[in-house]
Amino acid sequence: MIAKFFSYFLPINVYKKNSAVSKTLEVTWNNGQLVLDSKNTNYSYGSLQRILRKGLKYIGFERIRKFNNVLILGVAGGSVIKTLVDEIKFKGKITGVEIDKEVVEIANKYFGLNQINNLELIVDDAFEYVLKTKEKYDLIVIDIFQDTTMPNFLFEDFFINRINFLLNVEGFILFNTMVISEKDRIRNIDYKKKFGGNYSLRMYPKVEEHNELFTIKKLN
């Protein structure tokens, strides 16, 4: 493909759309791969895929392969799902929740998420979904951004407690955060304090410069 070849020298935009939720969405060939970007940040593939892959590696590919049920809050183009399916060879159930239906259409058309048999893709607000779901999960990936902004509810006790309730014992939360300001840094320190002795929490700062990852294991 010519666009793929030339993208090693210069990014080549192949699709652009305005979204009520995500504002600007762009699909671009960049360094030989398709990526999904918002106005100011990478939404899927590119640096974001590297970040979440590192998080999954911290948890352990072998361990993840034995899980039964994975929840992804914030799907975008689905790069973390592709890592789970293509690289880790995860065969269990994956539920992906994405608030922006425009993003889901792009994920299906350009990144083939609708071809993944063990994936259920749901268009819904993550906060609403976690209130409604009756399932429990072995891995919950939280990767929710509106461009470079993270919704406040992700750091509030009610949401944290609900996520903890949905997590099976010996299960993991992988939480991707963006740290741009001092306020963000303090927010993450406060978040870390919300988990007591029933959880093993690790924080990985400066993953791809502005991202800070949390892995949280439920011990009992």
Side-chain angles (χ1 to χ4, degrees):
M1 185 182 289
I2 292 174
K4 181 177 180 179
F5 173 77
F6 281 108
S7 72
Y8 286 101
F9 307 99
L10 190 71
I12 297 173
N13 182 261
V14 295
Y15 182 82
K16 187 173 182 177
K17 187 168 188 176
N18 291 328
S19 157
V21 177
S22 307
K23 309 307 180 196
T24 304
L25 294 167
E26 295 186 6
V27 179
T28 306
W29 279 105
N30 196 333
N31 285 320
Q33 71 171 147
L34 278 176
V35 300
L36 174 62
D37 295 321
S38 66
K39 184 178 179 182
N40 295 303
T41 192
N42 176 239
Y43 258 19
S44 270
Y45 307 93
S47 64
L48 187 65
Q49 185 168 27
R50 292 194 297 271
I51 291 164
L52 292 175
R53 186 187 179 279
K54 284 179 183 176
L56 294 173
K57 198 170 183 181
Y58 294 146
I59 293 168
F61 287 4
E62 283 290 329
R63 192 201 311 258
I64 292 169
R65 217 169 281 135
K66 295 172 185 172
F67 289 161
N68 296 311
N69 214 348
V70 173
L71 175 64
I72 313 289
L73 299 177
V75 171
S79 55
V80 70
I81 294 168
K82 286 294 189 77
T83 301
L84 281 167
V85 172
D86 295 343
E87 188 173 356
I88 298 175
K89 308 297 182 187
F90 178 73
K91 303 294 185 186
K93 183 181 178 183
I94 304 171
T95 303
V97 180
E98 171 58 53
I99 193 173
D100 192 341
K101 64 179 175 51
E102 310 282 2
V103 165
V104 171
E105 288 173 10
I106 290 170
N108 287 334
K109 181 177 180 180
Y110 289 95
F111 302 103
L113 290 199
N114 54 353
Q115 297 168 24
I116 298 173
N117 294 327
N118 56 333
L119 169 65
E120 181 184 8
L121 205 49
I122 298 169
V123 178
D124 201 354
D125 180 276
F127 187 82
E128 296 292 330
Y129 180 82
V130 301
L131 293 182
K132 293 181 290 192
T133 183
K134 301 290 194 295
E135 295 195 53
K136 294 288 188 87
Y137 303 92
D138 300 306
L139 171 62
I140 300 174
V141 180
I142 306 171
D143 187 42
I144 298 175
F145 299 90
Q146 290 174 330
D147 199 23
T148 57
T149 304
M150 299 190 71
N152 290 331
F153 75 80
L154 296 173
F155 301 91
E156 292 170 356
D157 290 349
F158 184 84
F159 181 79
I160 292 167
N161 291 338
R162 182 63 186 169
I163 290 291
N164 292 350
F165 173 75
L166 297 177
L167 190 67
N168 286 324
V169 173
E170 297 293 311
F172 280 82
I173 298 164
L174 173 58
F175 186 22
N176 179 28
T177 71
M178 191 170 284
V179 179
I180 296 173
S181 66
E182 179 65 13
K183 183 180 177 182
D184 295 339
R185 191 184 70 80
I186 293 168
R187 174 205 67 196
N188 277 15
I189 290 170
D190 290 340
Y191 178 81
K192 188 177 177 182
K193 294 174 183 175
K194 293 179 184 289
F195 294 86
N198 292 340
Y199 297 87
S200 173
L201 181 147
R202 292 185 179 182
M203 185 171 70
Y204 303 89
K206 293 293 181 183
V207 183
E208 297 283 332
E209 191 175 358
H210 291 301
N211 291 79
E212 198 160 75
L213 281 176
F214 289 93
T215 59
I216 303 153
K217 182 182 181 182
K218 188 172 186 177
L219 301 176
N220 52 57

